């Protein structure tokens, strides 16, 4: 028997390959799916089944691509909000044999209407389920978000409560195998661990401690979640079936002279925030490579073209890989060499960094031309904020930058300065000139209060 977890960095997406008796199944594959075929072949297994727990919102499914590579049949739950044209519909109680293993379908709506979980059984150990692939219904330390149907928010939160109790009924011995881990936009309270059991979650998962269905619903509808625009693209592609990932995930190298003629919609600087703030091409925005999965979908739209600017080739390759997984892969090229470009006389821009003393001074002076703009999420803001600051979530600046006055001076802040640099870079790319970044941001603010 083989059970292998395959993690997609950045998105914190977890997919699985299970196998026995020469056969294998894949649960929730990603778009760049060669890894499943290679792993199966190395174990002398043939992929015969592909299971999707739901129509993903945060990445392109690799199911139709992997099916074309292997001949495997794809299964998807009912009520997907459209026809999943590449999959057969599977329902509660359906059972699939894979060697000595068996997969049994459990309908678990709530996160999405089409959500299903897959209980895993081993014929050699018949006393209950060995595990369950919980998709985005149950995570380690959290449960799925229920904000995708705002007109039915009470109903779907109640459906999730019922679905979770169906999973709990599998027994404390069952291992849980969720579709995402900590850092995913699909949940906010996930544990750093990627292993757990139904029993452990029953006793320790905060949402599972809520015994009343009504109290659970109330808690869920009062959560704060954000939906980047690219979610709609993912939902559509995961009905129609996405195209295979590009075979080469390293962008074409552009020379300095070629940059001006590349006509990219966005110049994306994927270097570290301090490097970007110290010097960047005019009109470029900051999106550090590790933040691309969380924030690219806010600022890059379907059909937009992208120029990537990085410190080295490996940084550009990783950035491309992240963009491919969310289908924002119209990449016209990549460039490394900001310092040589500056030495060649190319104009560069900087965004100053300021510290806590300067923030305090400006707040005390009550400057009429200055705003401290907090770009953290609403939950962070509710826990602690700086009096006199304004709040716009960093992702929502994709449109709400239009509410701001280009004549004003804005200082961007977040928890550490990372998201603040993304926000400042976006505003700079929209033509804002009077910007700086609070270095250390809320972390530095809280540290200064402790010291004093």
């Amino acid at each position: 028997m083989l059970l292998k977890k395959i993690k997609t960095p950045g998105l914190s997406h977890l997919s699985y390959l299970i196998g026995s008796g020469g056969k294998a199944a894949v649960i929730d594959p990603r778009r760049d799916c060669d890894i499943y075929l290679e792993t199966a072949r190395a174990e002398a297994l043939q992929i015969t089944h592909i299971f999707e727990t739901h129509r993903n919102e945060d990445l392109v499914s690799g199911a139709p691509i992997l099916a074309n590579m292997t001949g495997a049949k794809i299964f998807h739950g009912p009520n997907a909000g459209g026809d999943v044209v590449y999959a057969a519909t599977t329902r509660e109680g359906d059972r699939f044999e894979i060697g000595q293993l068996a997969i049994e379908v459990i309908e678990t709506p709530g996160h999405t209407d089409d959500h299903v979980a897959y209980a895993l059984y081993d014929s050699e150990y018949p006393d209950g389920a060995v595990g369950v692939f919980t998709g985005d219904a149950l995570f380690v330390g959290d449960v799925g978000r229920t904000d995708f149907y705002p007109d039915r928010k009470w109903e779907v939160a109640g459906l999730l409560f019922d679905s979770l109790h169906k999973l709990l009924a599998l027994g404390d011995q069952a291992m849980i195998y969720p579709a995402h881990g900590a850092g995913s936009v699909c949940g906010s309270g996930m544990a750093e661990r990627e292993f757990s059991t139904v029993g452990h979650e029953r006793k320790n998962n905060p949402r599972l401690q809520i015994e009343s269905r009504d109290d659970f619903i109330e808690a869920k509808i009062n959560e704060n979640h954000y939906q980047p625009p690219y979610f709609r693209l993912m939902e559509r592609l995961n009905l129609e079936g996405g195209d295979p990932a590009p075979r080469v995930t390293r962008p074409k190298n552009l020379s300095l002279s070629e940059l001006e003629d590349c006509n990219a919609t966005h110049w994306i600087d994927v270097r570290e925030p301090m490097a970007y703030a110290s010097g960047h091409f005019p009109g470029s925005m900051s999106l550090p490579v590790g933040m691309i999965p969380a924030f690219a979908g806010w600022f890059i739209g379907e059909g937009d073209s992208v120029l990537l600017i990085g410190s080295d080739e490996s940084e550009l390759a990783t950035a491309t890989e992240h963009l491919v997984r969310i289908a924002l892969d119209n990449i016209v090229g990549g460039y490394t060499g900001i310092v040589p470009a500056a030495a060649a006389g190319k104009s560069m821009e900087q965004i100053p960094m300021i510290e806590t003393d300067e923030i305090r001074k400006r707040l005390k002076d009550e400057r009429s031309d200055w705003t401290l703009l907090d770009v953290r999420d609403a939950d962070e803001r509710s826990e602690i904020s700086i009096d006199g600051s304004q709040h716009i979530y960093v992702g929502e600046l994709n449109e709400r930058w239009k509410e701001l006055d280009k004549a004003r001076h804005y200082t961007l802040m977040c928890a550490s300065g990372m998201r603040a640099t993304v926000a400042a870079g976006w505003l700079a790319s929209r033509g804002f000139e009077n910007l700086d970044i609070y270095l250390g941001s809320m972390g530095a603010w809280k540290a200064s209060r402790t010291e004093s």
Side-chain angles (χ1 to χ4, degrees), residues 1 3 18 101-103 118-122 128-133 177:
M1 171 183 171
L3 194 158
I18 63 169
L101 301 176
I103 287 280
Y118 298 99
L120 178 66
Y121 294 88
D122 184 343
V130 173
V132 56
F133 299 98
Y177 302 105

Side-chain angles (χ1 to χ4, degrees), residues 191-265:
E192 293 294 331
R193 289 176 291 108
E194 292 174 0
F195 57 91
S196 190
T197 64
V198 167
H200 186 85
E201 294 307 304
R202 187 195 306 275
K203 293 180 180 179
N204 296 283
N205 189 310
R207 288 302 187 216
L208 297 183
Q209 306 312 300
I210 304 175
E211 296 182 1
S212 162
R213 191 175 191 270
D214 288 343
D215 290 347
F216 179 89
I217 292 170
E218 189 69 24
K220 291 302 291 180
I221 65 175
N222 284 309
E223 289 179 347
N224 293 304
H225 294 286
Y226 296 94
Q227 295 190 35
Y230 91 101
F231 275 15
R232 306 289 85 79
L233 171 62
M234 299 299 96
E235 290 170 356
R236 193 189 82 231
L237 292 179
N238 291 335
L239 289 176
E240 301 171 355
D243 294 330
R247 300 304 300 174
V248 177
T249 56
R250 187 177 295 272
K252 173 186 176 183
N253 291 318
L254 299 184
S255 67
L256 190 56
S257 62
E258 290 174 315
L259 293 184
E260 297 302 328
D261 299 324
C262 73
N263 296 317
T265 310

Side-chain angles (χ1 to χ4, degrees), residues 9-11 267-277 280 284-297 299-300 307-311 314-323 326 353 394 414 416-426 437:
L11 290 168
W267 288 33
I268 307 295
D269 193 320
V270 301
R271 297 175 299 151
E272 288 300 305
M274 293 291 281
Y276 173 84
H280 56 268
S284 64
M285 67 170 290
S286 174
L287 199 56
V289 65
M291 300 176 76
I292 287 173
F295 295 107
F299 302 106
I300 304 171
L307 166 70
L308 295 174
I309 301 156
S311 299
S314 65
E315 204 169 54
L316 296 181
T318 302
T320 302
E321 195 171 66
H322 287 322
L323 291 170
I326 55 176
M353 298 270 189
V394 56
C414 59
S416 65
M418 294 282 287
R419 285 170 291 175
T421 305
V422 172
W426 174 251
I437 299 163

Side-chain angles (χ1 to χ4, degrees), residues 39-349:
T39 303
R41 285 178 174 172
E43 299 289 339
L45 298 170
Q46 178 186 359
I47 296 174
T48 56
H49 299 73
I50 301 168
F51 298 104
E52 294 190 311
T53 57
H54 64 298
R55 186 181 65 174
N56 275 288
E57 301 84 16
D58 65 320
L59 77 162
V60 179
S61 170
I65 302 153
L66 186 59
N68 285 335
M69 296 166 67
T70 62
K73 192 168 184 180
I74 306 167
F75 298 92
H76 192 103
N79 308 312
D83 292 330
V84 183
V85 298
Y86 54 83
T89 300
T90 190
R91 300 181 182 277
E92 180 94 18
D94 287 351
R95 190 175 176 93
F96 303 88
E97 307 290 337
I98 300 161
Q100 74 182 55
L101 301 176
I103 287 280
E104 192 166 297
V105 178
I106 306 170
E107 292 186 24
T108 49
H111 172 67
T112 60
D113 285 341
D114 61 329
H115 200 286
V116 294
Y118 298 99
L120 178 66
Y121 294 88
D122 184 343
S123 62
E124 297 294 317
Y125 301 92
D127 190 15
V130 173
V132 56
F133 299 98
T134 58
D136 283 10
L138 175 61
F139 301 120
V140 179
D142 198 7
V143 301
R145 56 192 286 185
T146 57
D147 60 305
F148 293 117
Y149 309 94
D151 296 337
R152 301 166 50 216
K153 55 186 179 181
W154 284 275
E155 176 195 352
V156 295
L159 288 173
L160 182 62
F161 180 87
D162 298 337
S163 294
L164 291 168
H165 282 265
K166 290 171 74 173
L167 297 178
L168 293 177
L170 291 171
D172 289 353
Q173 82 290 337
M175 298 286 292
I176 72 164
Y177 302 105
H180 288 92
S184 166
V185 296
C186 295
S188 56
M190 299 182 207
E192 293 294 331
R193 289 176 291 108
E194 292 174 0
F195 57 91
S196 190
T197 64
V198 167
H200 186 85
E201 294 307 304
R202 187 195 306 275
K203 293 180 180 179
N204 296 283
N205 189 310
R207 288 302 187 216
L208 297 183
Q209 306 312 300
I210 304 175
E211 296 182 1
S212 162
R213 191 175 191 270
D214 288 343
D215 290 347
F216 179 89
I217 292 170
E218 189 69 24
K220 291 302 291 180
I221 65 175
N222 284 309
E223 289 179 347
N224 293 304
H225 294 286
Y226 296 94
Q227 295 190 35
Y230 91 101
F231 275 15
R232 306 289 85 79
L233 171 62
M234 299 299 96
E235 290 170 356
R236 193 189 82 231
L237 292 179
N238 291 335
L239 289 176
E240 301 171 355
D243 294 330
R247 300 304 300 174
V248 177
T249 56
R250 187 177 295 272
K252 173 186 176 183
N253 291 318
L254 299 184
S255 67
L256 190 56
S257 62
E258 290 174 315
L259 293 184
E260 297 302 328
D261 299 324
C262 73
N263 296 317
T265 310
H266 300 286
W267 288 33
I268 307 295
D269 193 320
V270 301
R271 297 175 299 151
E272 288 300 305
M274 293 291 281
Y276 173 84
S278 298
H280 56 268
F281 288 118
S284 64
M285 67 170 290
S286 174
L287 199 56
V289 65
M291 300 176 76
I292 287 173
F295 295 107
W298 284 101
F299 302 106
I300 304 171
E302 183 180 9
D304 287 352
S305 56
V306 172
L307 166 70
L308 295 174
I309 301 156
S311 299
D312 54 44
E313 293 294 331
S314 65
E315 204 169 54
L316 296 181
T318 302
T320 302
E321 195 171 66
H322 287 322
L323 291 170
V324 162
R325 288 170 177 156
I326 55 176
L328 300 177
D329 50 15
N330 184 10
I331 301 169
V332 300
Y335 178 79
T336 60
I338 289 289
V339 172
K346 290 293 183 181
S347 175
M348 295 289 163
E349 291 182 349

Side-chain angles (χ1 to χ4, degrees), residues 383-415:
E383 289 179 5
I384 183 173
S385 62
I386 298 176
D387 290 344
S389 61
Q390 179 181 343
H391 178 241
I392 301 178
Y393 176 62
V394 56
E396 293 183 340
L397 283 170
N398 65 346
E399 291 292 337
R400 294 187 63 189
W401 69 269
K402 298 169 186 175
E403 301 172 15
L404 303 178
D405 181 358
K406 289 185 179 180
R408 286 188 70 77
H409 183 170
Y410 292 96
T411 296
L412 286 302
M413 67 160 288
C414 59

